[in-house]
Amino acid sequence: MAMKFSIYRYNPEVDDKPYMQDFELEVAAGSDMMVLDALIQLKEQDPTLVFRRSCREGVCGSDGMNINGKNALACITPLSSLKGTIVVRPLPGLPVIRDVVVDMKMFYDQYEKVKPYLQNDEPPPARERLQSPEERAKLDGLYECILCGCCTTSCPSFWWNPEKFVGPAALLQSYRFLADSRDTATSDRLADLDDAYSVYRCRGIMNCVHVCPKGLNPTKAIGETRQLILKQGI
Ligand code: SF4
Ligand code: SF4
Ligand code: FES
C-alpha cells in the first residue's frame, strides 16, 4: 500500500522560506517499519532530505521530531500507529538548521545551567561513595533521560521563555541530583532555581509527560523541586 508523507523542508542556503514536500512510499501491509525507516527510504528518493539519527533504538535521542503533531523519536514510532498522511516537522520552538534538524543550543544551555553532575565537597572515601538500595531507588525515573528534547520543545512555557524557564528536561536532570544522597550542593542548586522563571514558569500542562519516549515524568520532578525550595525557605 502507498503511504503518503508531508515533510517540512527548508535549506536556508537556497530556500526563501520553508515548505512542505509530499512523498509516497510503498509499505507492505502489516509492516513493522518505523518512521525513521521510512525517512531513510525517502532519502533515497530525494538525497537532499536531512534528518538526524544514530542508534535507531530509542537510546541516543537524536531523532526527536514532530510526527503528526506530537513530538516523538522517529526510530520507535511505528508507521502502523499513525493515521492518514504522515506529517513530519522539526521539533517546535528551536531554530531550524535544515529540514527537520534543529539547533539544540538553547536546550543544552539550560541543561548546562543546572550543573548536571554530582557535586560533593566532602573528602572522597577510599573506594566509592556508597548508597543504600533505598537511596539508589530514588534515582529511578530520573536518570534514564536521553536528552532527546521532545519534552522541552513541547512545553509552551519554554517556547515563550526559552532563556529564562529551564524547561522540563533540564529540571528533571536538576532533580536527579537534588534527589541523590551523595550530592552535597542541594542549597546552591535550589538557590539557583529560586526566581520567578527557572522553575515556577511551569504551568503543569504536562505536555512533557505526554511525549516522553522513556515514560519519565518531568512535571513530578518539578513539583518535588518546588517543595524543596519552599522547605529551604522556612
Ligand atoms: S508540565 Fe510544566 S514543564 Fe511540562 S510541559 Fe507543562 S509547563 Fe512545560
Ligand atoms: S525527559 Fe524524556 S522527553 Fe525529555 S529529554 Fe528526557 S527522554 Fe526526552
Ligand atoms: S536514532 Fe537514536 S533515539 Fe532514535
Side-chain angles (χ1 to χ4, degrees), residues 1-3 25-34 37 78-82:
M1 110 186 124
M3 290 194 83
L25 190 66
E26 245 350 277
V27 178
S31 159
D32 59 358
M33 268 174 73
M34 301 291 161
D37 301 320
L79 292 180
S80 58
S81 69
L82 303 168

Side-chain angles (χ1 to χ4, degrees), residues 3 9 13-14 26-27 40-41 48 61 65 67 78 85 93 101 128 132 135 141 146-147 172 176 191 199 206 211 231:
M3 290 194 83
R9 301 299 312 268
E13 287 176 12
V14 295
E26 245 350 277
V27 178
I40 289 168
Q41 291 196 22
T48 67
M65 52 190 80
I67 302 167
T85 300
V101 173
E128 58 187 310
S132 68
E135 288 168 338
I146 56 171
L147 295 174
L172 183 88
R176 180 250 171 273
V199 67
M206 292 184 73
V211 300
K231 268 193 215 151

Side-chain angles (χ1 to χ4, degrees), residues 36 52-64 72-76 146 148 213:
L36 180 61
R52 282 196 189 107
R53 84 313 174 238
S54 180
C55 70
R56 70 155 194 66
E57 297 284 356
V59 173
C60 72
S62 60
D63 63 339
L73 296 176
C75 64
I76 54 170
I146 56 171
C148 64

Side-chain angles (χ1 to χ4, degrees), residues 85-115:
T85 300
I86 296 169
V87 181
V88 180
R89 296 175 180 273
L91 291 175
L94 294 175
V96 172
I97 294 175
R98 183 165 161 176
D99 297 344
V100 294
V101 173
V102 290
D103 182 348
M104 302 284 285
K105 183 174 186 308
M106 285 196 284
F107 176 81
Y108 284 117
D109 282 350
Q110 294 296 359
Y111 180 55
E112 189 180 355
K113 246 191 224 174
V114 303
K115 302 193 176 113

